[in-house]
Amino acid sequence: MTVLNILTFPDPRLRKVAAPVIKFDKSLKKLTEDMLETMYQGNGIGLAATQVNVHKRVIVIDVSDDRTDPKIFINPEFEIKDNKSLFSFSEGCLSIPGYNEEITRPDKILLKWQDVNGKFHEEEPEGILTVCIQHEIDHLEGKLMVDYISSLKRERIRSKLRK
Ligand code: NI
């Protein structure tokens, strides 16, 4: 397994929209393994392929306390089941090192995805997994958690990380 280089905000490549995965082959499996390794090494709970400069709709997540529950979501998408049910969480991002921001998101969603073999799944996630999935799917759309905060705060983070 290889630890991949993570792009850091404000790298413009983090703004690319990822393309759907069509081929469920060995190279996809290798990418997910490398992404998990990269996420664990960086002590993150989620990573999107966009962050390692691969613009495909692939995310990996592990929200378990003991870091032994890797989850892989290919072509993930979600629908909001109840837009009045919200959850606030202090989010971090491996592409915005050193910063946490309290972000409010819907907490009742139906998630649909494919596994590494192309098989379709759906589930209503619970707890931190719900916000983590939305954060990672945002990455696939070129969206970052700093887009949820004030532009003043975002510029401050941008100039600090540029140094
Ligand atoms: Ni992130």
Side-chain angles (χ1 to χ4, degrees):
M1 277 180 275
T2 316
V3 173
L4 305 166
N5 184 41
I6 298 176
L7 302 177
T8 306
F9 175 73
D11 193 309
R13 291 170 291 181
L14 288 168
R15 297 303 189 179
K16 283 192 176 182
V17 177
V21 171
I22 300 161
K23 269 169 75 188
F24 293 81
D25 56 7
K26 263 189 196 156
S27 73
L28 177 66
K29 281 202 177 86
K30 166 91 168 91
L31 172 66
T32 59
E33 285 165 10
D34 290 347
M35 283 174 62
L36 281 165
E37 184 74 5
T38 306
M39 177 189 77
Y40 286 127
Q41 208 249 4
N43 229 356
I45 61 174
L47 187 72
T50 307
Q51 293 176 274
V52 293
N53 200 26
V54 176
H55 302 280
K56 291 181 185 163
R57 304 192 78 85
V58 177
I59 64 178
V60 298
I61 290 177
D62 187 342
V63 292
S64 67
D65 290 334
D66 57 1
R67 321 289 285 141
T68 55
D69 187 22
K71 292 181 192 294
I72 297 164
F73 302 95
I74 313 292
N75 298 329
E77 49 185 78
F78 68 92
E79 53 188 74
I80 298 165
K81 301 295 281 182
D82 176 359
N83 55 19
K84 287 188 192 79
S85 183
L86 302 171
F87 183 75
S88 291
F89 184 68
S90 175
E91 299 184 18
C93 181
L94 289 173
S95 292
I96 311 172
Y99 289 90
N100 281 81
E101 295 296 338
E102 180 108 349
I103 291 166
T104 303
R105 300 181 189 268
D107 75 342
K108 299 264 185 295
I109 63 170
L110 175 65
L111 176 71
K112 297 177 183 183
W113 75 96
Q114 284 170 275
D115 61 28
V116 284
N117 300 311
K119 198 179 164 215
F120 287 90
H121 300 267
E122 60 174 69
E123 187 185 303
E124 288 184 33
E126 292 190 344
I128 305 299
L129 183 58
T130 314
V131 292
C132 191
I133 279 165
Q134 293 177 67
H135 176 118
E136 301 311 331
I137 291 178
D138 274 353
H139 277 299
L140 303 181
E141 295 299 325
K143 194 169 179 185
L144 295 164
M145 67 177 202
V146 287
D147 299 342
Y148 293 87
I149 63 177
S150 75
S151 55
L152 188 72
K153 224 167 164 185
R154 182 163 58 246
E155 286 314 310
R156 214 180 301 142
I157 295 172
R158 190 199 302 270
S159 61
K160 282 238 177 82
L161 287 177
R162 254 199 191 130
K163 278 173 198 157

